[in-house]
Amino acid sequence: MRTPFALWGAVAGLAEILPHPPLTRNQVELTQIDTAASDDLPGFRELGISPRSLEEELEAMLKQSNKETQLPNRRGS
């Protein structure tokens, strides 16, 4: 059932009175933004990047962080 965004905004405004609102006006606003990919815009290949899982990205970030925080080896001191 289609419901106008104005109605959802009013419902969310009322819900924000609650201690833990199940819906907020910000959430309603975000649903109005089109986030679907477009065939008219460049994709990963054209941008020279490849998608990775969150786990792969976190692992790469941790490895980079470990490399940057390692102290130089001081054998001669």
XYZ file of all heavy atoms in Angstrom:
597
model
N 0.838 -1.173 0.000
C 0.000 0.000 0.000
C 0.887 1.242 0.000
O 1.766 1.378 0.856
C -0.875 -0.036 1.251
C -1.764 1.150 1.374
S -2.958 0.935 2.696
C -2.212 1.931 3.936
N 0.675 2.088 -0.950
C 1.457 3.325 -1.023
C 0.971 4.310 0.033
O -0.228 4.460 0.240
C 1.333 3.953 -2.402
C 2.026 3.147 -3.463
C 1.919 3.851 -4.804
N 2.615 3.082 -5.799
C 3.737 3.465 -6.378
N 4.271 4.622 -6.069
N 4.314 2.713 -7.263
N 1.944 4.941 0.671
C 1.628 5.932 1.704
C 2.466 7.175 1.423
O 3.674 7.075 1.226
C 1.973 5.385 3.102
O 1.329 4.117 3.264
C 1.515 6.311 4.190
N 1.851 8.346 1.405
C 2.607 9.581 1.114
C 3.686 9.832 2.178
O 3.497 9.547 3.362
C 1.542 10.673 1.161
C 0.227 9.984 1.108
C 0.438 8.596 1.606
N 4.808 10.381 1.718
C 5.898 10.688 2.641
C 5.460 11.691 3.704
O 5.953 11.657 4.834
C 7.116 11.207 1.887
C 7.888 10.127 1.199
C 7.925 10.046 -0.175
C 8.590 9.178 1.933
C 8.637 9.038 -0.806
C 9.297 8.167 1.313
C 9.319 8.105 -0.064
N 4.531 12.572 3.357
C 4.046 13.553 4.339
C 3.396 12.839 5.526
O 3.598 13.228 6.690
C 3.061 14.509 3.688
N 2.649 11.788 5.248
C 2.019 11.031 6.329
C 3.074 10.321 7.173
O 3.025 10.340 8.404
C 1.018 10.018 5.763
C 0.323 9.129 6.789
C -0.462 9.956 7.792
C -0.568 8.119 6.108
N 4.067 9.693 6.504
C 5.147 9.031 7.249
C 5.910 10.034 8.105
O 6.311 9.743 9.222
C 6.109 8.324 6.302
C 5.597 7.006 5.833
C 5.233 6.675 4.567
C 5.367 5.844 6.629
N 4.794 5.367 4.525
C 4.868 4.837 5.770
C 5.531 5.547 7.973
C 4.535 3.564 6.231
C 5.197 4.275 8.426
C 4.704 3.309 7.560
N 6.120 11.240 7.570
C 6.816 12.276 8.332
C 6.044 12.662 9.581
O 6.619 12.848 10.656
N 4.711 12.774 9.464
C 3.881 13.105 10.616
C 3.908 11.977 11.647
O 4.034 12.232 12.852
C 2.447 13.377 10.154
N 3.802 10.742 11.179
C 3.856 9.589 12.087
C 5.213 9.549 12.800
O 5.292 9.324 14.006
C 3.596 8.272 11.319
C 3.888 7.064 12.183
C 2.162 8.239 10.801
N 6.278 9.786 12.047
C 7.620 9.767 12.638
C 7.780 10.892 13.654
O 8.402 10.709 14.702
C 8.675 9.877 11.542
N 7.208 12.060 13.365
C 7.276 13.170 14.310
C 6.610 12.819 15.634
O 7.122 13.142 16.703
N 5.480 12.130 15.548
C 4.808 11.684 16.768
C 5.612 10.595 17.468
O 5.709 10.576 18.698
C 3.407 11.167 16.440
C 2.385 12.230 16.018
C 1.101 11.571 15.537
C 2.121 13.196 17.164
N 6.194 9.700 16.694
C 6.968 8.596 17.271
C 8.208 9.102 17.998
O 8.673 8.477 18.957
C 7.367 7.605 16.183
N 8.747 10.243 17.568
C 9.953 10.782 18.204
C 9.720 11.215 19.644
O 10.671 11.433 20.391
C 10.519 11.939 17.373
C 11.170 11.461 16.085
C 11.694 12.601 15.238
O 11.377 13.771 15.509
O 12.432 12.310 14.284
N 8.471 11.301 20.049
C 8.158 11.637 21.438
C 8.517 10.463 22.356
O 8.864 10.656 23.513
C 6.654 11.985 21.577
C 6.338 13.229 20.760
C 6.256 12.173 23.025
C 4.857 13.532 20.633
N 8.478 9.261 21.813
C 8.764 8.058 22.589
C 10.239 7.991 22.982
O 11.095 8.541 22.279
C 8.398 6.807 21.779
C 6.936 6.700 21.345
C 6.770 5.535 20.371
C 6.044 6.538 22.555
N 10.561 7.300 24.086
C 11.967 7.185 24.517
C 12.851 6.484 23.471
O 13.984 6.869 23.269
C 11.895 6.353 25.796
C 10.480 6.353 26.217
C 9.648 6.672 25.020
N 12.351 5.460 22.809
C 13.089 4.740 21.767
C 12.204 4.668 20.526
O 11.560 3.639 20.280
C 13.482 3.332 22.230
C 14.335 3.330 23.459
N 15.653 3.692 23.429
C 14.048 3.040 24.747
C 16.148 3.619 24.653
N 15.190 3.226 25.476
N 12.163 5.750 19.739
C 11.226 5.788 18.614
C 11.524 4.704 17.571
O 12.676 4.507 17.193
C 11.418 7.178 18.026
C 12.741 7.638 18.508
C 12.981 6.947 19.813
N 10.482 4.004 17.113
C 10.679 2.987 16.086
C 10.901 3.603 14.701
O 11.356 2.934 13.786
C 9.365 2.200 16.121
C 8.361 3.175 16.642
C 9.114 4.067 17.588
N 10.601 4.889 14.562
C 10.747 5.595 13.293
C 11.036 7.055 13.591
O 10.450 7.646 14.504
C 9.446 5.470 12.478
C 9.416 6.101 11.101
C 10.374 5.367 10.159
C 8.006 6.082 10.540
N 11.963 7.640 12.819
C 12.283 9.061 13.004
C 12.082 9.804 11.687
O 12.031 9.199 10.616
C 13.739 9.252 13.463
O 14.609 8.833 12.410
C 14.033 8.486 14.742
N 11.989 11.119 11.774
C 11.847 11.926 10.553
C 13.088 11.806 9.676
O 12.992 11.851 8.447
C 11.569 13.378 10.921
C 10.151 13.564 11.468
C 9.919 14.958 11.926
N 10.657 15.112 13.194
C 10.688 16.209 13.917
N 10.042 17.277 13.523
N 11.368 16.265 15.044
N 14.251 11.639 10.291
C 15.479 11.447 9.498
C 15.400 10.170 8.666
O 15.842 10.139 7.513
C 16.707 11.390 10.398
C 17.073 12.745 10.952
O 16.651 13.765 10.436
N 17.847 12.761 12.026
N 14.866 9.105 9.246
C 14.728 7.854 8.510
C 13.773 8.019 7.333
O 14.029 7.509 6.239
C 14.247 6.736 9.435
C 15.286 6.320 10.454
C 14.716 5.396 11.510
O 13.602 5.577 11.972
N 15.507 4.392 11.893
N 12.673 8.733 7.557
C 11.729 8.982 6.475
C 12.409 9.784 5.374
O 12.269 9.485 4.185
C 10.467 9.716 6.997
C 9.561 10.120 5.847
C 9.717 8.841 7.992
N 13.191 10.782 5.749
C 13.907 11.603 4.767
C 14.885 10.748 3.952
O 14.998 10.903 2.738
C 14.653 12.727 5.481
C 15.334 13.702 4.555
C 16.011 14.826 5.323
O 15.559 15.169 6.426
O 17.009 15.340 4.794
N 15.584 9.833 4.612
C 16.546 8.979 3.909
C 15.868 8.041 2.914
O 16.456 7.694 1.894
C 17.371 8.179 4.908
C 18.407 8.968 5.699
C 19.031 8.096 6.785
C 19.480 9.502 4.767
N 14.632 7.616 3.197
C 13.939 6.721 2.263
C 13.526 7.438 0.982
O 13.208 6.791 -0.007
C 12.690 6.084 2.911
O 11.758 7.108 3.244
C 13.054 5.256 4.129
N 13.572 8.751 0.990
C 13.200 9.517 -0.195
C 14.356 9.665 -1.174
O 14.165 10.103 -2.306
C 12.696 10.905 0.208
C 11.425 10.841 1.041
C 10.957 12.214 1.455
O 10.764 13.075 0.621
N 10.780 12.404 2.753
N 15.550 9.294 -0.762
C 16.746 9.428 -1.596
C 16.947 8.150 -2.395
O 16.979 7.059 -1.836
C 17.992 9.718 -0.733
C 17.797 11.016 0.039
C 19.249 9.776 -1.593
C 18.853 11.251 1.093
N 17.106 8.287 -3.699
C 17.326 7.130 -4.559
C 18.775 6.668 -4.420
O 19.709 7.406 -4.715
C 17.035 7.497 -6.008
C 17.181 6.335 -6.963
O 17.267 5.183 -6.492
O 17.206 6.572 -8.177
N 18.973 5.450 -3.947
C 20.319 4.916 -3.760
C 20.619 3.758 -4.701
O 21.618 3.066 -4.533
C 20.510 4.440 -2.309
O 19.516 3.455 -2.014
C 20.393 5.588 -1.323
N 19.772 3.551 -5.695
C 19.983 2.458 -6.642
C 21.096 2.836 -7.627
O 21.255 4.006 -8.000
C 18.702 2.157 -7.400
N 21.858 1.838 -8.037
C 22.917 2.066 -9.019
C 22.299 2.428 -10.360
O 21.212 1.985 -10.710
C 23.770 0.819 -9.153
N 23.024 3.221 -11.122
C 22.539 3.657 -12.428
C 23.447 3.131 -13.525
O 24.672 3.143 -13.398
C 22.505 5.188 -12.472
O 22.252 5.637 -13.779
N 22.853 2.686 -14.626
C 23.643 2.243 -15.772
C 24.338 3.407 -16.460
O 25.273 3.216 -17.232
C 22.749 1.513 -16.776
C 22.260 0.173 -16.244
O 22.965 -0.406 -15.389
O 21.194 -0.283 -16.686
N 23.897 4.633 -16.190
C 24.475 5.818 -16.824
C 25.763 6.288 -16.156
O 26.486 7.103 -16.702
C 23.470 6.976 -16.796
C 22.203 6.652 -17.566
O 22.258 5.822 -18.500
O 21.146 7.218 -17.223
N 26.058 5.771 -14.968
C 27.237 6.201 -14.229
C 28.309 5.114 -14.247
O 27.999 3.936 -14.390
C 26.853 6.522 -12.780
C 25.852 7.663 -12.606
C 25.447 7.786 -11.149
C 26.430 8.969 -13.095
N 29.582 5.508 -14.099
C 30.644 4.498 -14.098
C 30.517 3.559 -12.903
O 30.049 3.958 -11.837
C 31.931 5.318 -14.021
C 31.521 6.655 -13.526
C 30.090 6.855 -13.913
N 30.933 2.338 -13.116
C 30.890 1.341 -12.053
C 32.274 1.077 -11.502
O 33.230 1.822 -11.755
N 32.396 0.001 -10.744
C 33.673 -0.338 -10.130
C 34.789 -0.473 -11.159
O 35.884 0.037 -10.969
C 33.562 -1.646 -9.344
C 32.763 -1.523 -8.070
C 31.659 -2.330 -7.862
C 33.122 -0.631 -7.094
C 30.936 -2.237 -6.687
C 32.405 -0.519 -5.914
C 31.304 -1.325 -5.723
N 34.524 -1.188 -12.248
C 35.568 -1.452 -13.248
C 36.107 -0.138 -13.826
O 37.308 0.074 -13.917
C 35.007 -2.324 -14.378
C 36.070 -2.738 -15.384
C 35.531 -3.662 -16.479
N 34.957 -4.877 -15.906
C 33.662 -5.243 -16.032
N 32.828 -4.502 -16.695
N 33.218 -6.348 -15.489
N 35.208 0.772 -14.187
C 35.631 2.046 -14.773
C 36.394 2.914 -13.770
O 37.238 3.714 -14.148
C 34.418 2.825 -15.297
C 33.749 2.202 -16.499
C 32.734 1.118 -16.132
O 32.546 0.819 -14.941
O 32.141 0.559 -17.057
N 36.098 2.737 -12.503
C 36.783 3.508 -11.472
C 38.080 2.856 -10.998
O 38.812 3.408 -10.192
C 35.844 3.711 -10.272
C 34.594 4.547 -10.569
C 33.634 4.512 -9.390
C 34.964 5.971 -10.919
N 38.348 1.647 -11.508
C 39.590 0.962 -11.169
C 39.597 0.372 -9.771
O 40.663 0.248 -9.165
N 38.431 0.031 -9.250
C 38.358 -0.579 -7.925
C 37.554 -1.866 -8.004
O 36.809 -2.092 -8.952
C 37.721 0.368 -6.883
C 36.318 0.797 -7.324
C 38.590 1.563 -6.627
C 35.587 1.654 -6.311
N 37.749 -2.724 -7.015
C 36.961 -3.950 -6.967
C 36.328 -4.064 -5.589
O 36.962 -3.745 -4.578
C 37.834 -5.169 -7.264
O 38.863 -5.267 -6.325
N 35.087 -4.488 -5.548
C 34.418 -4.594 -4.251
C 35.026 -5.692 -3.396
O 35.496 -6.702 -3.906
C 32.970 -4.922 -4.627
C 33.029 -5.495 -5.992
C 34.232 -4.904 -6.648
N 35.074 -5.446 -2.078
C 35.561 -6.446 -1.125
C 34.559 -6.554 0.006
O 33.836 -5.609 0.305
C 36.916 -6.030 -0.540
C 38.018 -5.976 -1.550
C 39.381 -5.924 -0.917
N 39.629 -4.737 -0.110
C 40.840 -4.363 0.268
N 41.886 -5.068 -0.078
N 41.005 -3.300 1.002
N 34.568 -7.694 0.657
C 33.681 -7.877 1.809
C 34.194 -7.025 2.961
O 35.356 -6.606 2.995
C 33.633 -9.350 2.215
O 34.870 -9.725 2.781
N 33.332 -6.791 3.911
C 33.718 -6.021 5.090
C 34.877 -6.695 5.810
O 35.823 -6.037 6.258
C 32.517 -5.866 6.028
C 32.770 -5.127 7.329
C 33.250 -3.709 7.066
C 31.521 -5.122 8.187
N 34.825 -8.018 5.903
C 35.892 -8.758 6.584
C 37.231 -8.547 5.880
O 38.257 -8.322 6.534
C 35.562 -10.251 6.644
C 34.420 -10.600 7.576
C 33.037 -10.349 6.965
O 32.943 -10.075 5.744
O 32.061 -10.404 7.719
N 37.238 -8.603 4.542
C 38.484 -8.400 3.788
C 39.020 -6.985 4.005
O 40.226 -6.784 4.162
C 38.244 -8.631 2.296
C 37.996 -10.062 1.911
C 37.605 -10.203 0.447
O 36.769 -9.416 -0.036
O 38.158 -11.108 -0.206
N 38.133 -6.009 4.003
C 38.559 -4.623 4.171
C 39.119 -4.391 5.577
O 40.149 -3.738 5.743
C 37.383 -3.676 3.908
C 37.761 -2.223 3.906
C 38.752 -1.844 2.825
O 38.796 -2.487 1.764
O 39.504 -0.878 3.048
N 38.460 -4.932 6.587
C 38.960 -4.775 7.953
C 40.315 -5.444 8.136
O 41.205 -4.901 8.799
C 37.952 -5.344 8.952
C 36.656 -4.555 9.112
C 35.684 -5.311 10.004
C 36.927 -3.170 9.659
N 40.484 -6.616 7.544
C 41.766 -7.310 7.632
C 42.872 -6.478 6.989
O 43.963 -6.328 7.546
C 41.658 -8.673 6.946
C 42.894 -9.528 7.106
C 42.715 -10.906 6.489
O 41.632 -11.491 6.633
O 43.677 -11.375 5.863
N 42.595 -5.899 5.830
C 43.587 -5.064 5.146
C 43.920 -3.831 5.985
O 45.086 -3.431 6.083
C 43.062 -4.656 3.773
N 42.916 -3.238 6.613
C 43.156 -2.062 7.449
C 44.000 -2.411 8.665
O 44.897 -1.647 9.046
C 41.815 -1.458 7.878
C 41.046 -0.825 6.744
S 39.360 -0.383 7.178
C 39.620 0.867 8.411
N 43.733 -3.555 9.276
C 44.515 -3.978 10.437
C 45.965 -4.253 10.054
O 46.889 -3.880 10.785
C 43.895 -5.214 11.081
C 42.626 -4.961 11.885
C 41.983 -6.280 12.302
C 42.920 -4.104 13.100
N 46.182 -4.902 8.908
C 47.546 -5.166 8.456
C 48.289 -3.862 8.228
O 49.442 -3.718 8.632
C 47.528 -5.995 7.165
C 47.199 -7.450 7.383
C 47.217 -8.203 6.083
C 46.836 -9.669 6.284
N 46.788 -10.401 5.002
N 47.653 -2.887 7.603
C 48.289 -1.600 7.332
C 48.592 -0.890 8.645
O 49.669 -0.330 8.817
C 47.385 -0.730 6.453
C 47.983 0.606 6.101
C 49.226 0.480 5.249
O 49.349 -0.425 4.436
N 50.154 1.390 5.426
N 47.661 -0.944 9.572
C 47.860 -0.301 10.874
C 49.025 -0.934 11.625
O 49.846 -0.244 12.229
C 46.581 -0.402 11.702
O 46.784 0.138 12.976
N 49.128 -2.261 11.575
C 50.228 -2.956 12.244
C 51.570 -2.587 11.633
O 52.557 -2.419 12.344
C 50.020 -4.470 12.194
C 48.924 -4.926 13.131
O 48.578 -4.235 14.076
N 48.354 -6.083 12.857
N 51.631 -2.444 10.319
C 52.883 -2.053 9.656
C 53.314 -0.664 10.101
O 54.491 -0.398 10.310
C 52.707 -2.059 8.137
C 52.653 -3.432 7.532
C 52.473 -3.328 6.025
C 52.274 -4.684 5.390
N 52.022 -4.582 3.945
N 52.354 0.227 10.238
C 52.675 1.615 10.597
C 53.068 1.771 12.055
O 53.791 2.692 12.408
C 51.477 2.515 10.281
C 51.210 2.639 8.801
C 49.934 3.400 8.499
O 49.235 3.818 9.446
O 49.632 3.577 7.305
N 52.619 0.874 12.927
C 52.891 1.037 14.358
C 54.073 0.210 14.845
O 54.468 0.336 16.002
C 51.650 0.661 15.193
O 51.266 -0.674 14.905
C 50.498 1.603 14.904
N 54.644 -0.635 13.996
C 55.793 -1.439 14.419
C 57.011 -0.548 14.591
O 57.299 0.309 13.768
C 56.101 -2.530 13.396
C 55.080 -3.638 13.395
C 55.391 -4.685 12.340
O 56.249 -4.481 11.481
N 54.692 -5.796 12.387
N 57.725 -0.758 15.703
C 58.937 0.016 15.970
C 60.108 -0.610 15.223
O 60.169 -1.821 15.053
C 59.218 0.030 17.468
C 58.172 0.705 18.339
C 58.497 0.509 19.810
C 58.091 2.177 18.014
N 61.084 0.196 14.810
C 62.261 -0.357 14.145
C 63.052 -1.263 15.090
O 63.103 -1.027 16.306
C 63.074 0.858 13.735
C 62.438 2.031 14.385
C 61.105 1.626 14.932
N 63.671 -2.287 14.536
C 64.460 -3.242 15.313
C 65.774 -2.587 15.708
O 66.526 -2.129 14.879
C 64.703 -4.504 14.487
C 65.321 -5.603 15.311
O 65.643 -5.412 16.482
N 65.480 -6.760 14.709
N 66.103 -2.562 17.026
C 67.333 -1.919 17.513
C 68.266 -2.984 18.075
O 68.434 -3.110 19.267
C 66.997 -0.901 18.586
C 66.137 0.225 18.079
C 65.915 1.217 19.172
N 65.132 2.335 18.697
C 65.055 3.460 19.301
N 65.688 3.653 20.436
N 64.330 4.437 18.827
N 68.901 -3.737 17.233
C 69.786 -4.813 17.684
C 71.111 -4.290 18.208
O 71.697 -4.855 19.108
C 70.051 -5.794 16.531
C 68.835 -6.595 16.182
C 69.168 -7.625 15.151
N 67.973 -8.369 14.815
C 67.926 -9.281 13.904
N 69.007 -9.569 13.190
N 66.823 -9.917 13.652
N 71.630 -3.232 17.650
C 72.967 -2.774 18.009
C 73.019 -1.953 19.281
O 74.076 -1.535 19.707
N 71.900 -1.686 19.964
C 71.965 -0.807 21.123
C 72.253 -1.507 22.393
O 72.127 -2.475 22.831
C 70.697 -0.015 21.308
O 69.609 -0.394 20.578
